Amino acid sequence: MADSGLLLKRASCRSTWLRARKARPQLILSRRPRRRLGTLRWCGRRRLRRRLLQAQAAGVDWREGARQVSRAAAAGRPKTETPSPIPSPTPASEPESEFESASSCLIPPSPSPRGFTFSGICRVTCLYGQVQVFGFTISQGQPARDIFSVYTHSCLSIHALHYSLPEKSKKELKREARILLKSHLNLDDRRWSMQNFSLQCSIVLLEHLKTASVNFITSYPGSSYIFVQESPTPQIKPEYLALRSVGIRKEKKRKGLQLTESTLSALEELVSVSCEEVDGCPVILVCGSQDVGKSTFNRYLINQLLNSLPCVDYLECDLGQTEFTPPGCISLLNITEPVLGPPFTHLRTPQKMVYYGKPSCKNNYENYIDVIKYVFSAYKRESPLIINTMGWVSDQGLLLLIDLIRLLSPSHVVQFRCDHSKYMPDLTPQYVDDMDGLYTKSKTKMRNRRFRLAAFADALEFADEEKESPVEFTGHKLIGVYTDFTYRITPRNRESHNKILRDLTILSYLSQLQPPMPKPLSPLHSLTPYQVPFNAVALRITHSDVAPTHILYAVNASWVGLCKIQDDVRGYTNGPILLAQTPICDCLGFGICRGIDMEKRLYHILTPVPPEELRTVNCLLVGAIAIPHCVLKCQRGIEGTIPYVTTDYNFKIPGASEKIGAREPEEAHKEKLYRRPKFCRKMK
């Protein structure tokens, strides 16, 4: 027992010494300190190791006092506005380090896909050369771009690109670069950049990014870590401190976005076809099961197309994970700016949008098809169209996808698959022609029943100039894409993960109510809402049947779609005005019904939609998309009881459980939301 204990003690001391030595292999300790390290206790060894690391990072002798170490580290810490440049190490000491300053970063060209992978948010300006971020090329002279490399998605990278050089000497090129950098960098930064200047290099400026949207989202406790995450073991390296002053952190390459060869091949082919314009504007439909990379592919493809084209059209058919609008919408957008982040960082105003009201189309497929046809009718075929579909590709979801392929008639179908995805047959033109959908028949049955394509074209509701000639479905080209990445989402946590993303999108939409920077944030309950008379708008609950006497209880404190219907509702003297069916109409935006005045018969609506568009709103649609709980639970400045929040919530009431309008599981939180106070008391 004594021998084994002695061996165990020696092994632990030796492993501690090895860990300290591996952390800084260039540290050389004398024999006496090594013996002392073996006799110290665990806490003493830990303090000594921390002291060694701090001394090495500060560049001083390890025997000096801790006060001198901390003083040297503080003196070397750069400021946020103009951090001092850090000398670039030699390739032999640290070959992967290409960014050495948080203000001016010099990127040497490389044939390999190396780059600076980081997490956090920043503003990037290319001062000299060309760089690429998420497929989008940023050249010198272009405006600064806001980049969001957040925790919920793969980290982004900045890569230097090869560009054509004029026939000038290196001295003349350095002189031109020095002139370009003069208005952006101080003298020390310019001197360091010119010392490390080389042909085909690129210099970018990284700046601290702070917007009203970022401030609003991070003001809530549950989402404060989304944009910037602190390192579990703070480092004292000057590079780490400089990047931290900007708001980013260097990450390992494996945490960045990795594209497979089939993905790159598909992107190259689609960009080539879109730029040739031989057969008109291509219509690209992207399909596949859940969590295989469809949304990431769409963003990368949009950025690649915007390098050569002025705009790209985008048709959103995924209700749960929308890209440019709040959840529960089917929309058509014209994209002119790159997307350099997750969906909640680049919300846009669509050309045409319909509020479906649910994150899924189950049990109401026919209405889903009708809404897509209504939105697709606004496509003018002037630019390439990217169609995003749902991740439900089994059973009835596959049949619904076949219907969409027939109705939208894409020229290219990009089908995703990976190891963890469910089996999905190849959607070749022959397979689509031979299979029946939910509402469409195969070509064989149509030929036997003598169906004409002209009659089928009328059901598509195309533009008037296209109704004159029958639609001919010439088939599509199938492009298979195989993705291989670290799969972190499981069927057990997928729903909670998707709910978090939906909440972040709604918070990003509500951030439009905030004043621009640098004004402080205003709590939502302190903002002045619009007063809407009962007889000015019609009401409809889209996801559930509610008794007319309880409609107002369902509308109160709910997320509402501000829509425009063709019917005139001004003839009614009293309200509320109730619709018997859910209309297919344009949605102009969203808001929160924060209160109802029964005496004055007014709705109090809080919305960022401008007043000139609100004049045409005459319908309020309430769906299963709920307000994020943090908006109601974490209201700043409220003293006493928080409105619409209670610990006594009855989930047995129809419409209150997750089965109809997925609010929150009963066992998830002890504190539950009280969405309809009077309605709940009457039904108990």
Side-chain angles (χ1 to χ4, degrees):
M1 293 296 292
D3 295 339
S4 62
L6 181 60
L7 291 176
L8 180 60
K9 183 177 180 181
R10 290 178 178 175
S12 61
C13 295
R14 183 173 179 82
S15 62
T16 304
W17 163 247
L18 289 177
R19 287 197 299 269
R21 189 171 183 177
K22 288 180 179 179
R24 288 293 184 272
Q26 62 270 31
L27 278 178
I28 301 177
L29 299 181
S30 63
R31 185 178 181 183
R32 183 175 180 180
R34 272 189 290 182
R35 290 179 178 176
R36 182 185 175 187
L37 184 64
T39 58
L40 291 176
R41 293 185 178 180
W42 177 81
C43 57
R45 291 195 301 268
R46 185 177 181 182
R47 284 195 300 268
L48 180 58
R49 180 175 179 272
R50 187 187 300 114
R51 184 178 173 185
L52 292 175
L53 297 181
Q54 291 176 352
Q56 174 64 21
V60 299
D61 189 4
W62 72 276
R63 297 180 181 84
E64 296 184 6
R67 289 179 299 178
Q68 185 175 357
V69 172
S70 60
R71 194 180 302 114
R77 183 178 293 109
K79 297 181 180 180
T80 304
E81 292 80 4
T82 56
S84 60
I86 304 165
S88 178
T90 59
S93 61
E94 194 175 354
E96 294 184 358
S97 181
E98 298 177 353
F99 279 57
E100 299 300 332
S101 174
S103 61
S104 59
C105 302
L106 189 142
I107 316 174
S110 175
S112 61
R114 281 175 25 181
F116 175 66
T117 304
F118 67 97
S119 62
I121 59 176
C122 64
R123 179 164 293 167
V124 176
T125 305
C126 185
L127 303 180
Y128 184 82
Q130 280 186 347
V131 295
Q132 188 177 85
V133 183
F134 206 19
F136 183 75
T137 302
I138 305 176
S139 305
Q140 66 182 54
Q142 292 185 355
R145 300 293 181 180
D146 297 342
I147 300 180
F148 301 85
S149 180
V150 300
Y151 167 73
T152 56
H153 294 71
S154 298
C155 296
L156 300 184
S157 302
I158 302 178
H159 301 275
L161 299 180
H162 288 270
Y163 50 90
S164 58
L165 289 173
E167 296 181 358
K168 297 180 180 179
S169 62
K170 184 178 180 179
K171 186 176 181 180
E172 294 175 343
L173 295 177
K174 291 183 67 174
R175 186 183 301 112
E176 292 181 359
R178 188 182 294 108
I179 296 175
L180 291 174
L181 302 181
K182 189 174 182 180
S183 59
H184 298 279
L185 304 179
N186 55 26
L187 181 60
D188 294 336
D189 290 340
R190 293 200 306 270
R191 184 180 293 113
W192 175 84
S193 300
M194 292 300 101
Q195 289 176 357
N196 295 272
F197 183 86
S198 62
L199 297 179
Q200 291 289 341
C201 73
S202 299
I203 304 176
V204 297
L205 179 68
L206 306 180
E207 299 176 288
H208 189 75
L209 175 62
K210 207 67 175 178
T211 62
S213 177
V214 173
N215 288 347
F216 181 76
I217 294 177
T218 54
S219 64
Y220 291 98
S223 57
S224 58
Y225 63 93
I226 293 297
F227 295 106
V228 180
Q229 282 201 328
E230 293 293 335
S231 176
T233 56
Q235 304 177 18
I236 315 297
K237 293 177 60 176
E239 178 188 10
Y240 171 81
L241 296 175
L243 295 178
R244 184 181 179 182
S245 65
V246 181
I248 61 177
R249 187 180 68 184
K250 187 176 181 180
E251 300 288 353
K252 296 181 179 179
K253 180 182 175 182
R254 57 182 176 83
K255 291 187 177 182
L257 179 64
Q258 306 292 335
L259 299 179
T260 60
E261 294 183 1
S262 60
T263 304
L264 295 174
S265 177
L267 289 169
E268 183 179 359
E269 180 178 355
L270 294 175
V271 171
S272 176
V273 171
S274 301
C275 296
E276 287 177 358
E277 297 184 359
V278 177
D279 300 328
C281 298
V283 178
I284 305 166
L285 186 141
V286 182
C287 62
S289 59
Q290 295 177 333
D291 307 317
V292 294
K294 299 190 301 296
S295 299
T296 303
F297 179 85
N298 291 336
R299 299 184 202 113
Y300 205 97
L301 178 59
I302 290 174
N303 293 336
Q304 289 270 289
L305 292 175
L306 290 179
N307 290 331
S308 306
L309 302 176
C311 61
V312 179
D313 287 336
Y314 187 88
L315 178 61
E316 182 62 78
C317 299
D318 189 356
L319 297 170
Q321 301 299 323
T322 53
E323 187 69 32
F324 299 101
T325 63
C329 298
I330 296 175
S331 58
L332 178 67
L333 301 97
N334 187 260
I335 310 300
T336 57
E337 296 293 330
V339 286
L340 303 175
F344 55 87
T345 61
H346 51 247
L347 296 184
R348 309 287 171 83
T349 302
Q351 287 181 304
K352 200 176 192 65
M353 177 174 62
V354 174
Y355 183 47
Y356 190 80
K358 294 189 296 183
S360 175
C361 67
K362 290 184 179 180
N363 303 325
N364 199 1
Y365 311 114
E366 188 174 0
N367 188 30
Y368 175 75
I369 292 291
D370 293 338
V371 170
I372 291 180
K373 290 190 294 185
Y374 176 77
V375 175
F376 181 69
S377 63
Y379 176 51
K380 300 179 181 179
R381 303 180 185 272
E382 296 177 352
S383 56
L385 176 65
I386 301 175
I387 304 174
N388 184 36
T389 59
M390 299 182 298
W392 182 34
V393 293
S394 61
D395 301 331
Q396 292 179 326
L398 179 61
L399 303 181
L400 194 62
L401 180 59
I402 294 176
D403 287 337
L404 290 182
I405 294 177
R406 288 205 181 107
L407 295 176
L408 304 178
S409 185
S411 59
H412 296 77
V413 173
V414 182
Q415 184 175 353
F416 277 77
R417 56 171 51 90
C418 61
D419 293 337
H420 66 265
S421 62
K422 296 182 179 180
Y423 171 75
M424 183 180 177
D426 294 338
L427 299 178
T428 60
Q430 182 179 0
Y431 180 84
V432 175
D433 291 341
D434 296 340
M435 285 292 295
D436 292 338
L438 282 179
Y439 300 100
T440 59
K441 301 297 181 182
S442 63
K443 275 192 173 182
T444 305
K445 292 185 178 181
M446 290 178 64
R447 192 181 301 110
N448 294 338
R449 297 180 183 181
R450 297 180 181 179
F451 286 162
R452 296 180 60 85
L453 290 176
F456 191 61
D458 294 337
L460 290 176
E461 301 181 7
F462 285 110
D464 295 337
E465 62 271 10
E466 297 178 358
K467 285 185 177 181
E468 299 177 358
S469 59
V471 179
E472 297 182 1
F473 299 99
T474 57
H476 59 268
K477 181 177 182 180
L478 179 64
I479 301 177
V481 175
Y482 176 80
T483 58
D484 183 15
F485 55 90
T486 304
Y487 188 58
R488 296 182 296 177
I489 303 177
T490 62
R492 297 183 61 182
N493 64 4
R494 179 183 291 115
E495 184 59 33
S496 60
H497 182 267
N498 294 341
K499 184 179 183 301
I500 292 174
L501 296 181
R502 288 194 291 266
D503 290 348
L504 290 173
T505 303
I506 295 178
L507 289 178
S508 178
Y509 186 86
L510 293 176
S511 67
Q512 302 176 28
L513 293 165
Q514 299 298 321
M517 296 289 293
K519 295 183 179 180
L521 294 177
S522 300
L524 294 181
H525 60 79
S526 66
L527 301 177
T528 304
Y530 292 97
Q531 294 181 353
V532 183
F534 279 6
N535 58 359
V537 293
L539 297 179
R540 175 64 182 174
I541 310 297
T542 62
H543 67 288
S544 180
D545 294 331
V546 181
T549 55
H550 297 148
I551 286 289
L552 294 182
Y553 302 135
V555 175
N556 191 24
S558 294
W559 181 257
V560 295
L562 310 178
C563 305
K564 179 177 64 175
I565 59 177
Q566 299 296 330
D567 300 335
D568 190 5
V569 298
R570 292 176 298 179
Y572 296 88
T573 57
N574 298 323
I577 304 172
L578 307 182
L579 297 177
Q581 295 180 350
T582 302
I584 299 179
C585 56
D586 293 341
C587 181
L588 304 181
F590 298 90
I592 296 177
C593 182
R594 53 168 294 179
I596 298 177
D597 191 341
M598 294 301 298
E599 296 181 358
K600 298 181 180 180
R601 310 185 72 79
L602 297 173
Y603 304 108
H604 295 279
I605 305 296
L606 191 64
T607 177
V609 179
E612 56 271 13
E613 296 185 12
L614 289 176
R615 295 189 180 96
T616 60
V617 173
N618 57 2
C619 178
L620 300 180
L621 297 182
V622 181
I625 307 301
I627 302 173
H629 294 172
C630 59
V631 174
L632 299 176
K633 292 167 143 182
C634 305
Q635 302 183 45
R636 295 181 299 167
I638 296 293
E639 296 182 359
T641 305
I642 302 178
Y644 307 110
V645 176
T646 183
T647 56
D648 183 16
Y649 190 87
N650 188 0
F651 279 89
K652 297 181 180 179
I653 300 175
S657 65
E658 59 179 350
K659 296 181 181 179
I660 297 181
R663 292 291 193 265
E664 186 179 8
E666 184 175 0
E667 65 277 2
H669 295 283
K670 294 182 179 180
E671 184 174 296
K672 302 301 178 182
L673 299 183
Y674 194 21
R675 300 293 301 278
R676 308 173 182 89
K678 297 180 181 179
F679 175 51
C680 294
R681 284 200 294 267
K682 286 187 177 182
M683 293 296 294
K684 283 185 179 179

